[in-house]
Amino acid sequence: HRKLKAFPAGFLWGAASAAYQVEGAWDADGKGPSVWDVFAKLPGKTFQGSNGDVAVDHYHRFAEDVALMAEMGLKAYRFSVSWPRIFPQGRGEPNEAGLAFYEHLIDTLIAHHIEPVLTLYHWDMPQALQDEYGGWEDRRIIADFEHYCVTLFQRFAGKVKYWVSLNEQNYNLTNAYQLGTHPPAVEDRKRFFAANHIAFLANASVIATFRRHVPNGLIGPSFAYSPAYPGSSAPADMLAFENAEELTNHWWLDTYCFGRYPQAALTWLTETGEAPDILPGDLEILSQGLPDFVGVNYYQTLTYTGNALDGVTLQRINTTGQKGTTPASGIPGLYKTMANPFVETSNWDWAIDPTGLRIALRRLASRYALPVMITENGLGEFDQLVAGDRVHDDYRIAYLKAHVEACQQAISDGVQLLGYCAWSFTDILSWLNGYQKRYGFVYVDRDERDTRDLRRIRKDSFHWYKKVIASNGEIL
Ligand code: BG6
């Protein structure tokens, strides 16, 4: 029986959120609209028309939420800053009320010995920049994003050590420009790869600038990492797995960490005419903005086959909460997803695979030789509030326990793991799935249409995680 290494001293036991999913106060104190404020109100875009106008009202209740974090013993809280709260028009002079909100939040966290982990961009682009030049589709975004980030670097350099640049560029832009399910709801692969390239340039530019402003800080992007598995050892499945790994994972991770695109994928996209325009100087920008750590948002592995690839389309979103409703997806000629018969799935068909997390961490550590921070990991499920204000989420405890165990295995394998941020602290708005898909340690009493009293209720998982933290991962 293998003796596992203990979690290191100072391990960041955390939880995470994102501005649009928790804050509410969508037009308070000078905030401008984000693309989500507009998009979520278009008919048919989100589950039962749910939106983040009120969300869980963290903007007004952050002190209560931080008090709950302190009671739990949380060591780190990852949150995102809403760009249009700081720059209502995307650029120009900052809105002091917006900066003051985050300063209060950060100061309250620090007063409770909770390390702030600040995400610069979690999908809420200022609508003004989307309208003016199409957001990520225009290189003007690079300077505007940098101006916004430098404003935060200057204000919070002395208080915030850990920074996340872009959250899930891969998942967000795939939805925004290929699947048409996030704003601006485009379905065009060429435009997708072009916008994605500009986002890479913005990410790298900001990381290079960060070094000058926050010399003692650490920064990295958060990647939505679904490690690929082959459906079998048949060579066609192995090739499909390699294709998927390169086009769905290495396309981002190699570019972030090596400053270059993976070759086979780039060749294929050049042949199809969908490769991004790489201008002189771009590769220098990419290679001068390498991260200090890789942020990983891990929820599931995906399994790929090379069989019957004709006619397959890239669409794998289940917003129903009904098992077995997610269609196969992929790229004709390259790869197609298939159900993995060896793993259980959630009600949204997400594979529950803690070993996949260990594999993910090891692949990252070996390929990129960088520390890793788990910036999200959790289980979205229907929760029931029962008599006596209790939520018995034993399924969530089982999920988190198995994944924390996988972290310890990975640490024992030699991975340098900085922290583990569960998704999420309180319940949040799941972008496309409304409030019914809950992730939190803390239940928030509201549903899609009725904000009720937004009361905070500790779930069973709250008490479980408190013990995990207190024992530094020895009692799971
Ligand atoms: C990630 C995001 O995609 O996963 C979060 O960074 C999101 O913002 C989480 O909430 C879970 O996804 P979903 O679709 O279940 O809300």
Side-chain angles (χ1 to χ4, degrees):
H1 191 69
R2 185 185 198 203
K3 181 147 178 17
L4 295 179
K5 282 190 199 157
F7 284 92
F11 188 75
L12 295 174
W13 295 101
S17 71
Y20 185 70
Q21 296 180 275
V22 295
E23 286 177 4
W26 76 281
D27 62 352
D29 301 333
K31 178 180 170 295
S34 78
V35 291
W36 278 93
D37 290 318
V38 176
F39 178 77
K41 288 169 194 154
L42 301 174
K45 297 297 186 190
T46 64
F47 178 74
Q48 292 187 1
S50 53
N51 67 52
D53 283 4
V54 175
V56 298
D57 199 31
H58 180 66
Y59 186 79
H60 296 111
R61 297 172 196 233
F62 76 89
E64 182 186 351
D65 291 340
V66 176
L68 282 164
M69 293 175 203
E71 177 189 323
M72 188 192 233
L74 211 65
K75 304 288 185 200
Y77 177 54
R78 172 180 177 241
F79 61 93
S80 79
V81 173
S82 161
W83 182 351
R85 207 179 275 295
I86 309 301
F87 290 100
Q89 297 302 313
R91 69 161 85 85
E93 288 302 310
N95 172 30
E96 176 53 32
L99 286 167
F101 166 70
Y102 294 106
E103 185 136 57
H104 287 149
L105 172 62
I106 290 165
D107 288 346
T108 309
L109 290 167
I110 292 171
H112 288 93
H113 311 290
I114 301 169
E115 185 81 47
V117 178
L118 189 158
T119 304
L120 292 161
Y121 184 79
H122 201 127
W123 310 354
D124 43 359
M125 166 80 63
Q127 182 65 42
L129 300 184
Q130 192 67 42
D131 292 341
E132 185 181 334
Y133 53 65
W136 293 116
E137 290 196 86
D138 190 293
R139 286 181 181 235
R140 278 175 280 179
I141 195 78
I142 298 169
D144 286 337
F145 184 58
E146 184 145 332
H147 177 58
Y148 155 67
C149 292
V150 166
T151 304
L152 298 182
F153 296 158
Q154 288 175 336
R155 182 83 168 220
F156 300 128
K159 296 181 177 182
V160 178
K161 179 175 176 194
Y162 296 97
W163 300 71
V164 172
S165 47
L166 299 183
N167 177 74
E168 295 194 358
Q169 176 188 330
N170 60 324
Y171 185 73
N172 176 226
L173 295 186
T174 298
N175 278 273
Y177 291 98
Q178 285 202 70
L179 305 181
T181 45
H182 286 186
V186 171
E187 294 177 59
D188 182 322
R189 207 154 57 204
K190 183 160 179 63
R191 284 173 66 183
F192 163 72
F193 282 107
N196 188 60
H197 182 66
I198 292 172
F200 276 135
L201 295 172
N203 182 73
S205 301
V206 148
I207 289 179
T209 304
F210 177 84
R211 308 264 175 252
R212 294 199 297 279
H213 291 277
V214 197
N216 299 321
L218 298 172
I219 190 166
S222 280
F223 181 66
Y225 191 15
S226 298
Y229 284 1
S232 78
S233 55
D237 286 347
M238 288 304 298
L239 184 62
F241 145 75
E242 292 284 349
N243 289 339
E245 189 68 358
E246 185 148 317
L247 260 166
T248 68
N249 289 324
H250 296 162
W251 189 261
W252 283 270
L253 291 167
D254 284 10
T255 311
Y256 289 140
C257 301
F258 296 147
R260 57 168 162 73
Y261 287 112
Q263 190 56 55
L266 186 58
T267 303
W268 182 77
L269 289 173
T270 304
E271 278 174 17
T272 64
E274 293 161 327
D277 291 333
I278 302 174
L279 303 185
D282 284 1
L283 293 176
E284 286 67 34
I285 292 171
L286 295 179
S287 62
Q288 284 162 15
L290 306 182
D292 299 304
F293 64 87
V294 184
V296 172
N297 295 354
Y298 176 81
Y299 292 90
Q300 60 171 333
T301 47
L302 290 171
T303 301
Y304 295 94
T305 176
N307 287 331
L309 295 178
D310 294 343
V312 67
T313 56
L314 190 88
Q315 175 63 266
R316 60 167 175 245
I317 294 195
N318 172 350
T319 51
T320 65
Q322 282 171 22
K323 269 187 196 268
T325 58
T326 311
S329 63
I331 296 185
L334 294 185
Y335 57 79
K336 185 173 93 175
T337 58
M338 57 176 270
N340 182 343
F342 301 101
V343 298
E344 295 288 319
T345 56
S346 76
N347 275 314
W348 278 262
D349 288 334
W350 293 20
I352 298 175
D353 182 8
T355 303
L357 175 57
R358 181 177 176 189
I359 291 169
L361 295 173
R362 285 169 41 160
R363 284 185 185 170
L364 290 173
S366 294
R367 191 174 174 99
Y368 304 110
L370 285 171
V372 180
M373 186 186 309
I374 295 173
T375 41
E376 290 180 25
N377 173 238
L379 180 67
E381 269 305 336
F382 302 105
D383 288 340
Q384 289 303 322
L385 181 61
V386 298
D389 260 3
R390 304 290 295 274
V391 178
H392 300 304
D393 57 344
D394 47 311
Y395 40 88
R396 181 168 295 106
I397 294 173
Y399 178 100
L400 295 171
K401 177 178 184 309
H403 286 75
V404 170
E405 280 170 355
C407 292
Q408 194 175 4
Q409 294 278 4
I411 289 170
S412 304
D413 293 335
V415 174
Q416 196 190 337
L417 190 61
L418 301 171
Y420 173 88
C421 292
W423 184 265
S424 50
F425 184 70
T426 61
D427 286 338
I428 46 98
L429 168 66
S430 171
W431 306 87
L432 302 178
N433 307 285
Y435 294 91
Q436 51 155 11
K437 191 180 186 188
R438 295 175 182 271
Y439 280 93
F441 294 116
V442 175
Y443 186 94
V444 179
D445 188 24
R446 68 155 297 166
D447 65 16
E448 325 308 323
R449 293 178 182 282
D450 186 351
T451 56
R452 297 204 276 268
D453 59 3
L454 295 159
R455 193 164 85 257
R456 272 59 173 153
I457 296 148
R458 297 165 190 78
K459 301 181 192 175
D460 288 356
S461 57
F462 179 99
H463 304 289
W464 170 81
Y465 199 46
K466 181 176 179 177
K467 285 189 194 140
V468 173
I469 299 171
S471 66
N472 197 34
E474 278 188 26
I475 302 172
L476 294 182

